[in-house]
Amino acid sequence: MALTVGIIGPEDLVQRVLAVGAANSAATLVPLPYRHESETVTLVEQSREKVDAILFTGVVPYTIATAAGIIDRPAMYVSYDGATLLRALVELLRLGHDVTRFSIDTLRRSEVIETLIEAKLPTDQIHVLPYRAGLTSDDIVAFHRNARERHDTKVAISCLGSAFHLLENEMPSVRLAPSRYSIQSTLQALVLTTTGQHVGDAQVALGIIDLPEPDEALAGDLITLGGSLAALPDGRNLVVTTRGLLEQATEQFTRMPLLDQLAARHATARVGFGVGRTAAEAEALARRAVSRATSIGTVAGVVSMSDDVEIVIEPSSEHDQPAADRGPESLPLLARRVGLNTQTLSRMRELVATLPDGLTTQDVAEHLAVQLRTARRVLKRLERAGLADPIGSQQHGRTGRPPTVYLIRL
């Protein structure tokens, strides 16, 4: 089945991407055009169930979506490279414009200067406004107007459609569009990245369930895993499923409803899942996981993966117990219960010390040097363990959905 990629950007650039990418049989492209870049957040949210990945037609909508913290699937943007600028300069020369005095937005200054030097054009009368988060179309228009008034620039070159449409009636203006090569290479990279993640979701996941006596209700408990159940010669039970279904049923390995159900019917219940590239590897990891679960206590679950990641999941009663009632815990013990490594928890303690009144997903991502998606998972694990509570949202200085502020207790 072909992947589905949503294309977000202004109508004309979305259509350009569709035209260039139409020959790519590896993906089905879905147009998601906007009239103004401020609609980006809404389009991303509305496409959650429709597309496997998102391709933005430029850095502006991509940055808006990233700042809002709503990108939850593979996403990339088409860059405007030096070749794009060079083609625009040639067109300006053909039309008789002065290409030695212009203002340009969004591109990096170093990239613009390098392109001009290669074209043997002067650079001393060129004014550049690199794109940064929070920059609006009004800011860009003001930059070009100011460059014309103070520095007598002859042409405004813009990468932002909304800014270009305001400028084109005031001064000679050109709107940059991504090159065919940029579109093709970015789309290919996005499809490969998304395919790789889907392959990861399809990895074999085998589970071994160790109970003190037979359980006729077990098959019903496994419905959410969408897997099959078989009896092992030693009396234990084998579950066959995929990584994607296991992640979904355990809420990204933060809790295990199956373990709670078994604990309600049995004095002891140990569950071990192994996730591997082959069935043999997954089975070996599952046996290691259930052995580890046995060493932890009477009721425990462990997920082992091929990259030496081991996640311990205890019954929800443990997770739901208020942190204040559990007493102090050592960092290794706390890490085992939460399902994070000790280094991550140690770094989180450092962050909490600097932001004791609350922090956001963006704060966590920057401090841990990870993607927003990973930062959300860290906060979700802490919340499940009773160590984090959402206390409000950060309203000022933001576009789109305001980020949630969490109070962390470590």
Side-chain angles (χ1 to χ4, degrees):
M1 181 179 178
L3 295 174
T4 303
V5 177
I7 313 300
I8 293 181
E11 176 73 38
D12 58 339
L13 294 188
V14 168
Q15 292 303 320
R16 178 173 174 79
V17 172
L18 291 176
V20 173
N24 192 331
S25 60
T28 298
L29 306 183
V30 177
L32 299 170
Y34 56 62
R35 288 169 295 181
H36 191 275
E37 59 271 8
S38 60
E39 301 169 19
T40 298
V41 171
T42 300
L43 285 173
V44 173
E45 292 177 334
Q46 290 177 347
S47 68
R48 289 190 191 281
E49 306 301 325
K50 300 177 183 177
V51 300
D52 302 304
I54 298 176
L55 180 65
F56 296 92
T57 62
V59 66
V60 176
Y62 174 83
T63 304
I64 291 173
T66 301
I70 57 172
I71 297 181
D72 57 356
R73 74 210 85 167
M76 295 182 183
Y77 67 90
V78 181
S79 64
Y80 292 69
D81 52 20
T84 301
L85 173 59
L86 191 58
R87 187 175 66 248
L89 294 177
V90 171
E91 179 64 16
L92 286 170
L93 280 172
R94 189 182 67 81
L95 296 174
H97 291 290
D98 183 357
V99 296
T100 66
R101 307 176 69 93
F102 65 83
S103 56
I104 182 170
D105 60 64
T106 304
L107 273 66
R108 297 189 303 273
R109 178 173 179 80
S110 59
E111 190 172 36
V112 173
I113 298 303
E114 182 179 343
T115 300
L116 294 176
I117 291 175
E118 289 182 356
K120 294 181 170 55
L121 291 171
T123 62
D124 55 326
Q125 296 297 323
I126 306 304
H127 301 275
V128 185
L129 178 66
Y131 184 76
R132 63 180 185 276
L135 200 65
T136 66
S137 58
D138 289 340
D139 297 328
I140 291 175
V141 169
F143 158 74
H144 288 289
R145 288 171 176 166
N146 183 65
R148 187 184 189 191
E149 293 171 3
R150 297 183 58 183
H151 305 289
D152 193 29
T153 54
K154 303 303 182 182
V155 181
I157 302 176
S158 181
C159 297
L160 190 63
S162 57
F164 168 74
H165 292 311
L166 289 173
L167 292 167
E168 62 178 338
N169 295 323
E170 302 180 17
M171 62 186 80
S173 305
V174 174
R175 181 183 173 197
L176 289 187
S179 65
R180 292 180 62 87
Y181 171 77
S182 292
I183 293 172
Q184 289 171 338
S185 59
T186 307
L187 182 57
Q188 182 181 26
L190 180 58
V191 170
L192 288 174
T193 299
T194 309
T195 301
Q197 289 202 7
H198 280 211
V199 169
D201 286 346
Q203 281 184 309
V204 178
L206 295 183
I208 295 178
I209 301 174
D210 189 1
L211 301 173
E213 63 270 335
D215 188 338
E216 294 182 358
L218 180 57
D221 294 338
L222 298 173
I223 290 177
T224 55
L225 283 171
S228 58
L229 180 66
L232 293 172
D234 59 8
R236 296 187 293 186
N237 297 279
L238 178 68
V239 182
V240 182
T241 183
T242 65
R243 174 176 180 156
L245 290 172
L246 181 61
E247 283 192 0
Q248 183 177 346
T250 60
E251 297 183 17
Q252 305 295 332
F253 307 127
T254 59
R255 59 190 298 266
M256 191 178 290
L258 169 63
L259 189 62
D260 301 333
Q261 293 159 346
L262 295 176
R265 298 196 299 266
H266 302 278
T268 63
R270 284 95 174 208
V271 179
F273 277 96
V275 179
R277 290 175 287 267
T278 65
E281 182 184 31
E283 182 180 356
L285 291 170
R287 293 187 182 279
R288 185 180 80 181
V290 76
S291 178
R292 172 74 191 284
T294 301
S295 69
I296 291 172
T298 56
V299 179
V302 175
V303 179
S304 293
M305 302 183 190
S306 55
D307 49 3
D308 290 329
V309 172
E310 199 166 74
I311 301 172
V312 177
I313 305 176
E314 297 180 19
S316 290
S317 56
E318 287 283 333
H319 292 279
D320 295 340
Q321 186 180 0
D325 298 339
R326 285 194 289 260
E329 295 179 82
S330 68
L331 198 61
L333 182 62
L334 189 62
R336 191 190 75 180
R337 181 167 62 79
V338 175
L340 297 171
N341 61 51
T342 54
Q343 183 180 7
T344 298
L345 275 187
S346 178
R347 295 292 307 282
M348 284 297 297
R349 279 183 171 174
E350 295 172 0
L351 180 60
V352 172
T354 60
L355 298 171
D357 297 327
L359 49 83
T360 67
T361 304
Q362 185 68 42
D363 295 326
V364 175
E366 292 176 356
H367 188 72
L368 299 182
V370 297
Q371 295 182 349
L372 285 170
R373 184 178 183 182
T374 301
R376 279 194 290 270
R377 289 183 179 180
V378 170
L379 287 171
K380 192 68 174 179
R381 289 184 186 280
L382 292 173
E383 186 177 358
R384 288 289 181 190
L387 302 173
D389 291 309
I391 58 173
S393 57
Q394 197 174 76
Q395 300 289 343
H396 60 280
R398 296 279 181 172
T399 59
R401 178 187 296 176
T404 300
V405 177
Y406 290 86
L407 183 65
I408 310 295
R409 296 179 298 276
L410 291 174

